[in-house]
Amino acid sequence: MTDSSTSSPAAGRLSRRAALRLAAGGATAAVVAGCGPSRPGGAASSAPARSATPTPVPSGAPTGGAATTPAASGGSVGPADWAALAKDLQGTLVQPGEGAYAEASRLYQPQFDTLRPAAVAYPAGAQDAATCLAFARRYGVPIVPRGGGHSYAGWSGGPGLIVDVGRLNGVSASGGTATIGAGARLIDVYSGLAAQQLTVPAGSCPSVGVAGLALGGGLGVTCRAYGLTCDSLTGAEIVTADGRIRQVSPDSDADLLWALQGAGGGNFGVVTSLSLRTHPAVDCSYGFLSWPWSQAAAVIAAWQRWAPGAPDQLWADLHLQAWPDGRLTLSSTVNYLGPQGELANLVDQLGVRPQSVSLHSASYLATMQVMGGVSGWSPAAAHLAGTLPGHSPQGRLTRESYGARSDFYTRPIDPAGAAALVAAVARYARTAPQGGSCAVAFDSLGGAVNRVGPQDTAFVHRSGLFLAQYIANYPDPGAGSGPGVDQSQAWLRDVWSTMRSYASGEAYQNYADPQLADWEQAYYGVNAPRLRQVKQSYDPDGLFRFPQGIPTS
């Protein structure tokens, strides 16, 4: 790794890592693909997610999980036989009262620790997943697929049977295609492919599950060059509601493959494996830029002119942050698939000279570790701590609670909008709950992302200049309610409302937003009717349900 700095790089790295911790995104999931969604199979409700339980479902709407009536004819088949299910699985089943239950029931955000699933299954393969679906159908038990457990709204948990694909974490590559188990975390994917100098475009948060990321789009620091994660998805193994294990490809269940390319996890079945087109894992240059807060409006204007139209190899974000001590900071992380000198030339074209610049060069894997805030860590350390699949006894990542909303911007924010946004972040600094923090994060789009047609995949957002995420980090990392959470949510509503006349109305389905009233249009746009048809074909009875799940036709 080589460095070239005009100021100390530590501040830049801290800013980037803090932004990662503030984000969820799910990603991301970087804030662009922050510690966000991880549902291996998709994502909605209109009430605010303020409590430690998922959003209540309105009367007449689908509920989370399976149908509530047994599939067997003749009425009730009696209480669910969990002992029989455990015996039928090659994998493991964790139930209340067992020593591993507390770990098994946890999601990424501590605010959802009050969720108490009836059991958590860890399938050893697709047949185990089919066994779980048959059990859910027979006994009317709600069922939820789970990857990394990063759902912003807590919808990768619930009261029924959780099917956690964490054991299915293999990573291999051959002939231009990577075969990746649905339970692999992003750090596993990057590390597993690095030996062959290959990669797939993905997010930054190391503990995000690859399936949840890919199925909802998959923004990341290489997306302008390599496209979204879903754009590289060429096939999948999925167990659909009828219990069939399907090998989905352009030649088999092509409509389902199209839906898996961006509709979000949890909608159509339990995905157990993904086939993804590989790309070269080239050496990278990256950097950290910062400006005084007084230049925020000018930097927003310059960044919008610069980042979305830059060469495809460049990705850049922009962070406006309010810290717990009241400081307001303005910073950008940049990543470039090429030499550091070329990155320096591009930074010089930004338009507003940064107060500090810190540029570096590293291998692709080392760069992804920097972007994920785990530079120098072992792959085992870049997991959540624990002994169950997807976790590691050496894990050093921490869990945090937050609220977030998102907007795609398809036209530049004008000076009035920039001033309003800057004022909204400053308001948080004056009115924030003690110990809380917030950020507005822009992630540049364009390039390969926008060269795909809006109806070529289920991911409709193909004309964006950048994605904005508004993030409020709760003062108490474990809180799901209380005055601090209420103040944080009030700020989110304020900044989101402030930007209504400037944003496109589209939102990122991987950053599930329970407060969105017209979520189906915001997530899917013109693709919503076709997605309803796919849902009707593969899950007509709504076995897979959650507040923002795709409805049947």
Side-chain angles (χ1 to χ4, degrees):
M1 181 182 294
T2 61
D3 299 339
S4 173
S5 306
T6 58
S7 68
S8 169
R13 281 198 292 268
L14 177 61
S15 174
R16 173 63 177 173
R17 187 169 176 186
L20 288 165
R21 296 298 180 244
L22 283 170
T28 235
V31 174
V32 64
C35 292
S38 292
R39 291 173 60 93
S45 165
S46 57
R50 297 187 185 181
S51 67
T53 58
T55 307
V57 182
S59 176
T63 57
T68 57
T69 56
S73 60
S76 175
V77 294
D81 190 344
W82 296 101
L85 176 61
K87 185 177 179 180
D88 289 343
L89 295 177
Q90 294 183 27
T92 56
L93 186 73
V94 180
Q95 299 178 67
E98 298 182 18
Y101 180 78
E103 180 184 342
S105 63
R106 286 199 296 261
L107 304 180
Y108 179 76
Q109 292 196 53
Q111 65 174 304
F112 301 120
D113 282 355
T114 56
L115 295 176
R116 290 290 179 265
V120 180
Y122 293 89
Q127 186 55 56
D128 271 0
T131 298
C132 289
L133 297 190
F135 180 87
R137 290 194 306 271
R138 176 174 176 80
Y139 293 107
V141 174
I143 191 163
V144 177
R146 186 174 76 189
H150 284 262
S151 168
Y152 279 18
W155 293 332
S156 45
L161 173 60
I162 308 301
V163 182
D164 187 302
V165 296
R167 286 181 60 151
L168 312 178
N169 63 353
V171 178
S172 62
S174 178
T177 297
T179 302
I180 302 176
R185 302 320 198 235
L186 296 190
I187 189 62
D188 304 324
V189 174
Y190 288 134
S191 300
L193 295 176
Q196 299 182 58
Q197 295 185 311
L198 296 173
T199 193
V200 295
S204 299
C205 183
S207 60
V208 160
V210 66
L213 177 77
L215 299 178
L219 295 164
V221 301
T222 62
C223 67
R224 300 188 70 254
Y226 293 155
L228 305 173
T229 313
C230 72
D231 295 338
S232 290
L233 183 65
T234 60
E237 181 178 76
I238 181 173
V239 187
T240 47
D242 57 6
R244 288 182 56 187
I245 301 172
R246 301 173 187 261
Q247 305 298 328
V248 176
S249 73
D251 300 318
S252 178
D253 295 304
D255 55 341
L256 182 54
L257 176 61
W258 174 87
L260 296 179
Q261 293 170 322
N267 276 303
F268 305 107
V270 180
V271 172
T272 54
S273 179
L274 303 171
S275 297
L276 292 157
R277 187 182 307 110
T278 57
H279 303 263
V282 300
D283 289 346
C284 298
S285 304
Y286 63 91
F288 308 100
L289 321 175
S290 66
W291 298 263
W293 183 256
S294 60
Q295 292 186 290
V299 172
I300 290 172
W303 185 92
Q304 293 177 108
R305 291 191 298 267
W306 173 73
D312 290 359
Q313 301 98 310
L314 178 74
W315 171 88
D317 66 14
L318 183 66
H319 292 159
L320 293 80
Q321 294 174 261
W323 296 84
D325 60 6
R327 285 181 299 124
L328 295 168
T329 61
L330 179 66
S331 63
S332 173
T333 298
V334 294
N335 186 71
Y336 185 72
L337 302 180
Q340 184 173 310
E342 293 181 9
L343 175 60
N345 289 338
L346 287 169
V347 169
D348 287 343
Q349 298 171 26
L350 205 161
V352 178
R353 184 177 180 84
Q355 184 180 52
S356 66
V357 178
S358 173
L359 301 183
H360 313 265
S361 298
S363 70
Y364 189 92
L365 176 59
T367 301
M368 294 306 106
Q369 290 173 315
V370 171
M371 295 295 119
V374 293
S375 180
W377 296 15
S378 69
H383 286 76
L384 292 171
T387 58
L388 290 173
H391 300 164
S392 168
Q394 292 81 45
R396 294 170 56 187
L397 294 178
T398 57
R399 302 162 65 231
E400 289 170 294
S401 294
Y402 46 80
R405 309 195 73 173
S406 71
D407 272 317
F408 284 95
Y409 284 80
T410 56
R411 56 187 175 89
I413 302 173
D414 66 20
L421 183 63
V422 172
V425 177
R427 280 197 297 275
Y428 182 95
R430 295 193 301 269
T431 63
Q434 185 174 4
S437 55
C438 82
V440 175
F442 294 170
D443 291 295
S444 58
L445 298 173
V449 175
N450 289 8
R451 286 195 289 272
V452 178
Q455 294 177 277
D456 291 348
T457 68
F459 191 90
V460 74
H461 314 293
R462 300 294 184 170
S463 59
L465 298 176
F466 54 92
L467 172 68
Q469 188 173 192
Y470 319 107
I471 309 143
N473 210 36
Y474 297 159
D476 178 357
S481 61
V485 173
D486 290 343
Q487 285 178 273
S488 298
Q489 288 289 338
W491 177 79
L492 284 172
R493 290 192 297 274
D494 172 37
V495 67
W496 185 85
S497 298
T498 295
M499 302 309 292
R500 284 311 81 218
S501 61
Y502 307 100
S504 68
E506 300 177 28
Y508 186 24
Q509 50 267 40
N510 262 351
Y511 296 160
D513 183 353
Q515 300 186 55
L516 277 179
D518 193 9
W519 57 268
E520 192 176 10
Q521 179 63 30
Y523 294 154
Y524 306 122
V526 296
N527 289 334
R530 184 177 175 186
L531 286 169
R532 285 182 175 232
Q533 292 171 359
V534 176
K535 179 71 170 181
Q536 180 66 41
S537 296
Y538 292 94
D539 187 16
D541 298 323
L543 183 68
F544 297 101
R545 305 180 184 181
F546 58 101
Q548 288 180 351
I550 293 170
T552 55
S553 297

